[in-house]
Amino acid sequence: MRVTRARAQAQAQEQGSSKTEAIAAKVQPENLGDDSEPGSSDDGEEYGSKKRKKRNMKTSTSPTKRAKKTQDSSIKKSAGKRKKSLSLLLTMPLDVLFEIFGHMHPRDLVSLARTSKIFKQTLLASDAVTVWMAARKRLGGPDCPPYMTEPAWTALIFGKPECIHCGVRNVHKVDFMLRLRICTTCKKSNLVVESKFSKMFPDADKAVMNLLTYTNVGGWAHGSASKNRFFWKADIEKMIKKYAALKNDIKLRRPNAKKVLDEFVRERQEMIKKIIELSPAHEEWLDNEVAERTNNNYTVQQQRYEDIKARFIALGYTEIDLQYAAYIPQVTQATPLTEQAWKRICPIIEEKIEEAKARRLARDYANLKLSRQRLVARLYKDHVATVERSQWPYLPHPDDVLFYEPFARFLNAPFSAGAIYEDLQDARQLLPTIIKDISDAKKAKFLSQMSTTTGDSAQQADSRSELQAAIEESRFDLATLVFAKANLENSRDHPVVIGWQRAMTHSCWTPERLEDTCGWSSESGVNPDFITLSFSQKGSDVAKKLVELVGLDPHRATIADMDAREERFWCTKCLPGQGFRGRVRTAYSWKDAVSHAVSSPHGDDSELETATFEVMSPSELNQYMQSADSIPPSWRYRQWTCARCLDYFNDYARHPDTIQHVTTEHQILMPKEVEDYFVLDKTCWLRLGVAVPYH
């Protein structure tokens, strides 16, 4: 009988060095025959056999040179080659080898048994059962059930968390009823519910189901047990063949065939009964083991994080800089930190910490600038309290003064300067001059744009002259006084601003624009590019036609007059579209209609007729007013404030809240815009029109 490689090499060591070469030659891969397995550690290449063959072929013609080689040098060379292989491990006595294996983790023991056929034969031998038992008991694993072997049981409860069917990772749950570690996807495709057994296996005997292990947790149950029985498809197919073979033996009248079948059925039923009895305890142990392993990994992760944090603090970083490090993959690993690992991951972690630090500093500086901006607004509010109340609706937006010194310097001061309200007290005396400069600059720019230019028709020239005269006479509420973003009249994202009051309070401030300026002084004046609004001749012409459509005089109609009419308009150039509730058509208020005509091109933009409107019929208007969408979009924004007190001056409110405030606090039953409340316009994009059903 041929000895195994492990036993042969153990005998060689006991018999002395004189017999080592002879026994080693017997266990070389060339002499293992069918026992060698391609791709394992038994390959001849691992032992150097292929190289020896080539060398022997070349030197076979030179026996004299080969004879000169001493026995010691050949043994030394052979030993040097074998150091590259784990095969020398098997030259140790089996009792010592098994003692070493018993101290390995069961998962490593399973991996070792799968490395080569020799290790597999050694660890699966009957006398190696103690190795598996020692490894399992050392970690507190449950006893092996009678229906499984020690290696199979150890692989089931301590194996890698991978699906045994598809190999997907992170499958920590073991189905002890099926004795399988399988993922949810494989369960869905491989489990057969009892009610579908006959349909899927119409020729099979239903008695087979009583011989199969099953589970009560299906693939679609999300881990919850049910009253149904689910069988593994591969087990069904094997059992059908096995049961059919045993039944066929009875038909062939083979000796003891009926007894063999009865014994097989009895053993299977006892095994299933035992599985049902032991599975709850095994599941409880596995849940506890997974929870304990998770806690241990968390402890190791926390210790690794603390070690890395301590090292970076020693390099000069602060606690707040290292908060982001807790989410870096190189930090969250569940392995202790070593010097070698530290040298490898330190540059990677440091780069990410620096990036997070830069983002944090930028965020903190932006928050500080916001705090400074609020302090300027508070100072502006204190100044407005000293101004005549009738002038409040026409004052520039509080953010616009940030372009001026010393407010621009205060806003862009270094982070270390902080934000202190007392630092602005000396600048308060400059506010009247700054406010006057901004108002005068806007008025001068708008009036210059209204001057007659080359190419204007006589009608447009008369319209401009009338608006100039109205502004000079302080008639700021004309409905035909329309402004738009400069050079962006055809942009859909920038609707117009109607009325002198909104044009004067419209904010031109953005953080990006402020960074491009160094701050203006009262002596240098206002840069014209600072004012982003310009007079819109096209918008004024459209507003004039809308005023005429509702029967008012375009030379005298005010914004309040148009708002009081509550008319809605259709654009005759826009076709109905398909909406959520069927065919719809967009209805516009008169302000939205002006914005639509200016910002939405309708063919040749040089022709006014490219956007014409018609008034909604009374029935259509009544239906529209009953819908929630009839509320103007601008009313939903927090940009309204009271014109009789400063309660909402910096803490702006929505339109309904402002009306309620004026009604309850100032006892005005019918509040009027500008006189009782006004808007501090800072929103350049509003939804234009409301889609309503079209028939």
Side-chain angles (χ1 to χ4, degrees), residues 179-194:
R179 296 168 296 165
L180 296 174
R181 188 189 295 268
I182 45 180
C183 64
T184 303
T185 303
C186 292
K187 280 186 175 182
K188 293 178 179 179
S189 57
N190 289 277
L191 286 181
V192 178
V193 67
E194 182 178 6

Side-chain angles (χ1 to χ4, degrees), residues 554-569:
H555 304 289
R556 299 181 178 275
T558 64
I559 297 175
D561 295 336
M562 289 294 292
D563 290 339
R565 297 300 295 266
E566 295 186 347
E567 298 285 358
R568 294 297 182 267
F569 303 86

Side-chain angles (χ1 to χ4, degrees), residues 162-168 179-183 232:
E162 298 177 351
C163 177
I164 195 173
H165 189 260
C166 68
V168 68
R179 296 168 296 165
L180 296 174
R181 188 189 295 268
I182 45 180
C183 64
W232 190 248

Side-chain angles (χ1 to χ4, degrees), residues 268-511:
R268 291 291 301 181
Q269 291 178 348
E270 289 181 356
M271 184 191 72
I272 295 172
K273 182 179 179 181
K274 198 67 176 178
I275 290 176
I276 296 174
E277 178 184 347
L278 296 178
S279 290
H282 294 160
E283 291 177 357
E284 182 181 0
W285 173 86
L286 183 61
D287 292 341
N288 295 335
E289 196 272 339
V290 171
E292 182 179 358
R293 186 168 65 247
T294 302
N295 293 335
N296 293 338
N297 290 342
Y298 177 76
T299 302
V300 174
Q301 288 176 343
Q302 288 297 110
Q303 185 60 45
R304 181 184 178 92
Y305 169 67
E306 294 296 333
D307 294 342
I308 293 176
K309 185 171 70 171
R311 291 174 183 259
F312 274 109
I313 289 178
L315 294 177
Y317 290 90
T318 61
E319 289 275 353
I320 192 171
D321 293 332
L322 299 174
Q323 290 179 354
Y324 175 76
Y327 306 98
I328 300 177
Q330 289 79 7
V331 179
T332 58
Q333 297 176 2
T335 55
L337 182 67
T338 61
E339 286 296 331
Q340 184 178 3
W342 168 251
K343 293 179 181 179
R344 177 175 54 84
I345 67 177
C346 178
I348 302 175
I349 299 177
E350 188 172 15
E351 180 181 359
K352 295 182 179 180
I353 290 177
E354 287 292 342
E355 294 175 357
K357 181 180 179 180
R359 292 194 299 268
R360 177 183 61 83
L361 293 177
R363 184 172 59 252
D364 292 346
Y365 187 56
N367 293 334
L368 178 63
K369 293 181 71 172
L370 182 60
S371 300
R372 292 172 178 173
Q373 183 180 348
R374 290 171 178 168
L375 290 180
V376 174
R378 175 183 168 188
L379 181 72
Y380 191 88
K381 179 180 178 180
D382 293 342
H383 170 73
V384 171
T386 64
V387 178
E388 178 66 27
R389 187 176 62 82
S390 60
Q391 299 298 320
W392 290 359
Y394 304 99
L395 294 176
H397 197 282
D399 290 341
D400 286 347
V401 303
L402 296 173
F403 286 93
Y404 273 81
E405 292 292 358
F407 302 106
R409 183 172 64 251
F410 171 75
L411 188 67
N412 293 320
F415 187 86
S416 58
I420 304 176
Y421 181 70
E422 286 70 19
D423 295 343
L424 293 172
Q425 295 303 315
D426 295 338
R428 182 173 179 176
Q429 59 184 353
L430 299 176
L431 275 177
T433 304
I434 294 174
I435 292 173
K436 185 177 184 302
D437 289 345
I438 296 175
S439 300
D440 292 346
K442 284 188 175 183
K443 184 176 181 179
K445 180 177 181 178
F446 295 154
L447 288 175
S448 64
Q449 292 172 346
M450 294 177 188
S451 301
T452 303
T453 57
T454 304
D456 283 345
S457 63
Q459 183 180 4
Q460 290 178 335
D462 294 341
S463 176
R464 288 173 181 262
S465 300
E466 291 179 3
L467 292 175
Q468 280 183 306
I471 293 175
E472 295 292 349
E473 297 172 3
S474 299
R475 291 189 290 117
F476 300 137
D477 56 350
L478 288 180
T480 55
L481 196 57
V482 181
F483 303 88
K485 295 281 284 188
N487 302 322
L488 291 172
E489 287 192 355
N490 294 328
S491 174
R492 293 177 178 270
D493 296 337
H494 300 83
V496 299
V497 173
I498 300 177
W500 185 261
Q501 184 271 323
R502 293 199 178 192
M504 296 301 291
T505 60
H506 177 81
S507 175
C508 305
W509 179 87
T510 62

